[in-house]
Each structure stands twice: as structure tokens, then as C-alpha cells.
Amino acid sequence: MTTPPKDGNAPLAIELKGISKAFGPVQANKNISIQVARGSIHGIIGENGAGKSTLMSILYGFYKADSGEIHIGGNKTEIPDSQAAISAGIGMVFQHFKLVQNFTVLENIILGAEDGPMLRPSLARARSVLKKLSDEYELNVDPDALVEDLSVGHQQRVEILKALYREADILILDEPTGVLTPAEADHLFRILEGLRKEGKTIILITHKLREIMEITDTVSVMRRGEMTATVKTSETSPEELAELMVGRKVLLRVDKKPAHPGGNVLEIENLRYVDSAGVERLKGISLNVRAGEIVGIAGVSGNGQSELLEVLGGYADAKGTIRMNGQEIDLTGKHSDGQSRRARGIAHVPEDRHHEGLILPYTAWENTVFGYHRDPEIQKGLLMDNAKIKEEAAAKMERFDVRPPNPNLAAANFSGGNQQKIVLAREIEKSPDLLLVGQPTRGVDIGAIEFIHQQIVRLRDEGKAILLVSVELDEIMSLSDRIAVMFDGQIMGERLPEETDQTELGLLMAGVTDTNKSEPEKADA
Amino acid sequence: MDLDTLIQIGGSTIRLSTPLLLACLAGLFSERSGVIDIGLEGKMLIAAFFSAAFAFSTGSVWIGMLAGIAASMALSGLHGLASITFRGNQLISGVALNFLASGVTVLIAQVWFGQGGRTPSLMQGGRFEPITLPFAEALRGVPVLGPIYADMISGHSFLVYVALLAVPLTWWTLYRTRFGLRLRAVGEAPEAVDTAGVSVTGLRYSSLVITGVLCGLAGAYLATGLQAGFVREMSAGRGYIALAALIFAKWRPWYALFACLLFGFLQALSLRPDVVESVVSTTIPVQVMDALPYILTVVILAGFVGKAIPPRAGGEPYVKER
């Protein structure tokens, strides 16, 4: 607090001066300076790979900056490890929670912050502190519950409580809403506002513009390792932020004409699927997708959407009926696999492009034919016509704007967005009757999102049927012609995007069907 | 079958369970910290050799025991170096240590004593003597319980009681101390420990030290308690049985006691085919009886005892992520 703040009123909680960090030839952070006022919510927004996480890892002692200074509360502070960050009053809530699943909430909270060599006194003190914190900040969670039994939203509260128990004044949250239902996200924002009121400083890292606009006081934009701007949230707009993130004008809304659906391409009746652990994941799904329309499946991750795609894509056996262009599809046995599905005109862009969509160590050109590698036109006698495949791959990559357009590069060497474009190119160019798309833009930057959305809409306009699964409600709302909401292996209802809103869908996603009574509290309890 | 026979079998069950129990608890500490230890066998073997060799040379069983512990800890340290510091494959490191111990013991024994890879038999002072627990004689007169106390519980060597006491001590350490909390956490979610500002490497090495000590005791007991001297491969798969018992026990101390007693009981039975034959009233080949503990091991490992969930981070070297 010895440093006079720039704007002359609020004292600074954190000031970073000229932070740089390189990993080999990659400059992850370039001369970053940032000032965060005490008692404010400061957003940091940027595309994947823009260097947000690196910056926060430096602040939490995971990495050491190559150069630059960290000032906390006005004092220059060295943060060589996490212990130092914790003592400096910094708490971090990671995107992937750092909790011990089979420990109780209380055990997780004291881990590493025990009072002495014996556990009992630590647990007793933690219990009383926890109760106080819960009451103060609406952070209710059962101290004796096992973490693995808690919902994701509650697990996140445990992470926040962990930081508060360590008396953190500065709380860093990395993509905190990615795994939450809209109701849970709203609750989180209320908690954050409560913390701000108590004088805590919050740094919110996200790529969601809506959240930035909703809750932050100031926002910093990062692009390619540099801090491109820091602005007051009230003085900016989503369009301006998007432009600052990407470096050019971006269309935030999907530009599409009304759909002209034709006949049914895909009909699903009473589809049931039990996974290897014996849990019924699909509990009687019925759904149809018509030619020339995009049906979006909304839902919080883990409610059966992945399993639905797996069954449709042919790599999980199920019970029920699926008809493709009026003809029934085998759901079990030797005619039920990815190969036979593709023969029926179903193409699949899987949710997990790293494990299912691509073979990362293989080259881009090899990846452009997987699944279609038996096609007669790319065979030459007993062998594959590699020269032809390469040539076609180069052309596909050109059309799908894959950067760099080098088919000989391993798939692992492309950015998330470009990897996804390779998968899309492979599946869309076969002109399938039905395209299954899972999380098309997960981990993909804004510029590429725009392109991927355009390609999906283009395929629809060619009269193809598209089934889209996404946990991003914005994506579902803007891309779909019809929305089905999944919860606990069932379809809770179908809505038209123009006749519904985030609140209604959010309630359906939480399993609340009586949407006249909107009680988001109940949904996440 | 009379009480005396039962007491005899009970007594030998306790004796034979002891090396298993010490090794099993050793494995428990290691695996709870996320380091799979298939090298229990090798550590026991090398400890058996060095304890016998030093007990013979110095005439002191205590110096022998310390030498055994030191040898076992050295192997434990190697395992830590390979699997924690250099993030190598823990299974391969463990197997390598077993081979190493198997070869090195016989080699040194031959060079040192020239008796074909064994140590000379240990005399008085070089072995652990039976300890008579207080009041054993006074209570002998009490029906049933008296003889059980005097002949089955009392009269074992020092390390038997150490092993039995190690069970509650392990339980207490795991569930009542800060170290135990962190140890359990590091085997489940090392990233949680790391972000809490506690060293994953430090915790894992500490637990390997305990593993080394317990395996050293197990080996020392084999050569200077159960038997009188070292012979090649005298651990005879006990390290692997201890691992099976650890899985059977679901990595919990009290369960480990019962699992090891069960294996010890089967080994005790195989020493008394006459008793078994009188119970089942048919002749069972000795070989089948000898094989019983190993057959049970296979059955247990095949998963017939229900689902055992190992520590989640077991076998994976910890690499800090962003």
C-alpha cells in the first residue's frame, strides 16, 4: 500500500511489472504489466494459448518468470513455489480441481495447512472456521461429505473454501464456469460478489465474454503472450473485447438463414444404453433430426450426451431403435461399428479430438483419411495411394483454412482450432447425410469458432442433417434450429431457440421441468 | 484334534505371518504414497542376507538387524531414485531390484563365506530368542485362555511383537497424523498436495524410508528369527504374497493383519499335513498343501474377492502441470 495507485483511489492488490516467460522458442508471456485494484473483480480474457494460464502459474509459483517483478499489496514479492504464493495471500481455484476425491471436505481443506502434527485439533478448528466462512459467503457444503460424492459446483466451493481457509486475500479462478450449470454459475457469481464486498480481490480468467461483461470491474485482454489492453468493463463491449482478443473484427453471432427442414434423416426411438460399470446412461431417448436442420443437444457434461454420440457413432452397443433414412440400424453385433455407420452416411466429429478424432503423433494427411482409408479411390493395388491422399489433404486443408497448411506436420503440432478443422474437413468433405458433432469448439479460439460454425451451417444449407452436442449454451442457442435438453440420460424437453432463453434451458439442464416456478437455488442444492 | 494342536498351529501361524505382515505394511506405506513396490521381495532377501551375515560376524543379532535395515533402505533409495526422481517405470524398477537382490546376495555370500551362497548357521546371540510375556507361566493354569496365552501368544521373538504393534501404529500414523493425511493424499491426488504447497517428492521419499525399514525387519526376521541363517532365495515369494495380501487388504492396516494371518495360517497348515488329513479324512499330497498360499494368491489377484481400488496415483510418476 506504499505504492500510490495510478488512478489515485483504490490501493493495489497485485501489480505485475514486465513479466516475461519463454518455453524454448515459444514466448508465452511478453513483458506483461498489470495492476489489479484491491477489492475488485478483474477479468483476464484471451484465446487458448494466449498466455493467461502461464501468467497465473507464475503468480502461483508453478513457474518462475524469466524477468519482471511481482508486487503484492505494494511490496515486491518473490514467489518461488506454491507455499510462497499461499503465504502471500494468493489462493487459486484451478479449472481442474486439485481435490483428493476420497477425502472428506474437511480433510481436503486442512491438507497442507494443518495446525500441527496431529490431525484432530486441526480438524476441529477447520470445522468451526468452515462454518463461519459458509455463513459469511453462502458457501454451504457438508464438511463430512466425501468430495467424490459432491456435485461439481460443490467441489468448486470446496476449492474456494480451501483458499479462504488459508486466508487468501487474492483469489484467482481459472475458467470457473466451464463445468457449471447456468444456475450454479449464477450462484458462483453471487459468492464472488460477496467476497468482493468483504474486500477480497478476485482475478477471473475466462474466455467467455458474457461472464466478463456480467461480473468484472476491469478486464485485461491477452493475445499471443502480450497484454493488449486493460479497460474498465463498463466502458467496453463484447465486440470490442473480441476484436482485442483476436486482433480483427469477429462475428459473434452466427450468420444463418432460417432452416428449411425436409424429411426425417435420423429417427431415434426409446434408446437405452448401460455402460460397463452397469450404470444406465441413456434412459429411453427419442429424437429425430430432419434434413437441412441443426438439432442441438444442451446439457451439463456427463448427462448422457457423450454416450448418445458413442451409440450413434457405432462404438457402444445399445437397445432401442435407430433409423437412418427410414432403414433400421444394427445397434449390436458385428454390423454395429464406426465403419458400418459411415457406410450408412453418418459422419462423426467426436467430442474428444485428442483421443477419438485424431491420432496425434500421426501426420495431418494421415489423419485426413482415418475411417475412410478403405475407400477404393485412394487405393493403388494392394497399397494406399499416399501421393494422392497427400495431394487431397493439402487441398482440404486449404479449403478449411488449416494453419499451417502443411500436410506433413504431425497432428499434435497444430493448435486446438486447427486440429478441429482437420477433423471437420475429413468428415464434412465426405458429404454425409448426417453429421454428429460433439463439442465442436471446445478449446478452440474465437477466430476458429467463427469458421467452424460457418462450415456447420453451410453443410446444413446443403440439406444435410446435423446433430450437435455442446455444453456451451451460447453455441447451442446460436447454432441450433431446434434444441433438445438432456439431463440424467433423458431428454427433458425440446425448445425452439427463438422461443426460449438461457434461464429456461438452464433449469431443464438441471432437471427442473416445471419451468413456471423458477428456483435456481433449488436446482443446484 | 485337540487344543494343543490348535495352539501349535496358531503359534506357527503367528510366526509365519510376521514376515508377511512386515512386508505388507512396508508395501502399504509405499503404495499409499503412490509408488508401486514390487521389490518387497528383493528388499526382504537382501535384508535377510545382511542381517545373517552381520549377526554371524559380530555375534550380535541387533547389529545384524541394523545391517539388514540398512541394506533394505539402500534398495528402497534406489527404487526412489529410479521412480520418483527420474520418473522411471515403477514396476520395472521393482523387478530389477528383485533380480539384483537375488544375484547379489548369493554372490557376496559365496565370496564372504564360501559355503555355496549361504551363511553359516547362527548360534546363540546371533538369533532372536523367544520372549516370554509377563505372567505366561502364572496364567497357564487358566483353562483354554491360559495355554493360548502362554503357548500361542507368548514365546515368540522380539520382531513378532514389533510386527503386531506396527499394525495399530500404522493405522494411527495414517489416520491420526498430519504425515498420514499427506501420505494418503499424495497417493490419491499428488497435484492436490503440490498445490497445497507440500513437496510430493519429499513425501514419497519419506514413505520409502519407512518401507525400507519395515522390509529390513521382515528380512532380518526371516534369517535371524524364523530360521538360523541365510540360504539363497529364502524369501521364497513372500514379498509377492505380501503384495497380494496388500491388495486383499485394500491397502488398510487392520485388514492387512487379517490377510497376512490368513496366508500365514495356510503356510502353517502346509507344515502339518497330518492335521489337515485328519480333518478332511483323505490324503492330500504335500505339494498341494505347499502350493496353497500361492494358489490363494492367484485367486485373490484374479479379483475373486471383490473390487479393490488401489491408490489412484499409484504407479504414475508425478509431473507438475500448469
Side-chain angles (χ1 to χ4, degrees), chain A residues 328-347:
Chain A
E328 201 163 312
I329 285 182
D330 287 335
L331 291 180
T332 52
K334 64 174 181 175
H335 295 297
S336 177
D337 56 24
Q339 175 80 356
S340 66
R341 295 292 201 277
R342 277 187 285 273
R344 301 289 289 272
I346 301 178

Side-chain angles (χ1 to χ4, degrees), chain A residues 98-285:
Chain A
K98 310 289 182 188
L99 296 172
V100 184
Q101 291 290 317
N102 59 359
F103 274 22
T104 64
V105 169
L106 220 47
E107 286 175 320
N108 266 291
I109 282 173
I110 64 167
L111 179 65
E114 306 90 343
D115 298 329
M118 294 301 127
L119 281 187
R120 279 166 181 242
S122 309
L123 287 167
R125 188 175 79 86
R127 190 179 294 276
S128 67
V129 173
L130 192 63
K131 185 157 179 354
K132 217 179 97 233
L133 288 173
S134 302
D135 296 346
E136 209 170 330
Y137 300 112
E138 271 192 79
L139 280 160
N140 302 316
V141 51
D142 173 11
D144 298 310
L146 288 179
V147 164
E148 60 197 354
D149 296 334
L150 296 179
S151 71
V152 178
H154 279 79
Q155 292 194 13
Q156 190 172 56
R157 289 184 202 171
V158 179
E159 284 282 20
I160 297 175
L161 284 166
K162 244 168 86 177
L164 295 177
Y165 184 74
R166 287 159 173 75
E167 293 170 351
D169 284 323
I170 301 157
L171 201 59
I172 305 170
L173 295 106
D174 190 5
E175 301 282 359
T177 59
V179 288
L180 302 182
T181 63
E184 284 175 327
D186 285 343
H187 190 116
L188 173 68
F189 288 164
R190 278 208 306 283
I191 292 168
L192 295 185
E193 275 163 7
L195 289 167
R196 170 169 61 184
K197 218 175 285 166
E198 295 295 318
K200 308 274 187 197
T201 308
I202 291 157
I203 298 181
L204 178 71
I205 303 170
T206 182
H207 65 271
K208 292 182 185 168
L209 291 165
R210 198 162 54 81
E211 290 171 2
I212 290 285
M213 299 308 295
E214 199 174 316
I215 187 153
T216 61
D217 301 308
T218 43
V219 51
S220 296
V221 184
M222 287 189 74
R223 170 154 47 99
R224 290 191 198 138
E226 287 178 275
M227 195 66 87
T228 49
T230 296
V231 290
K232 278 211 164 61
T233 311
S234 53
E235 292 166 6
T236 186
S237 66
E239 286 75 17
E240 187 192 9
L241 288 177
E243 195 179 332
L244 284 166
M245 275 165 75
V246 184
R248 61 179 170 81
K249 282 230 181 294
V250 186
L251 218 51
L252 287 179
R253 303 213 64 79
V254 179
D255 192 17
K256 66 179 173 95
K257 298 182 198 73
H260 302 289
N264 274 337
V265 172
L266 175 73
E267 293 160 88
I268 305 173
E269 275 169 32
N270 196 25
L271 188 68
R272 291 180 180 275
Y273 166 67
V274 179
D275 72 7
S276 56
V279 181
E280 190 171 41
R281 295 294 183 179
L282 299 179
K283 302 174 178 170
I285 299 280

Side-chain angles (χ1 to χ4, degrees), chain B residues 263 266-267 269-270 287-297:
Chain B
F263 281 109
L266 291 174
Q267 290 185 337
L269 277 190
S270 69
Q287 289 84 350
V288 170
M289 290 306 301
D290 281 344
L292 256 188
Y294 303 93
I295 292 171
L296 182 68
T297 306

Side-chain angles (χ1 to χ4, degrees), chain A residues 419-471:
Chain A
Q419 288 175 345
Q420 191 69 310
K421 288 182 198 165
I422 294 175
V423 181
L424 269 176
R426 178 178 74 212
E427 303 298 336
I428 289 184
E429 293 257 317
K430 282 288 159 187
S431 193
D433 292 339
L434 170 68
L435 181 70
L436 309 170
V437 201
Q439 320 296 352
T441 56
R442 175 187 282 171
V444 168
D445 39 41
I446 289 197
I449 289 177
E450 187 187 9
F451 183 84
I452 289 169
H453 284 174
Q454 283 167 356
Q455 293 305 314
I456 294 174
V457 171
R458 187 174 60 83
L459 193 69
R460 178 203 74 168
D461 291 342
E462 289 171 12
K464 309 296 186 184
I466 288 151
L467 185 68
L468 165 76
V469 167
S470 175
V471 292

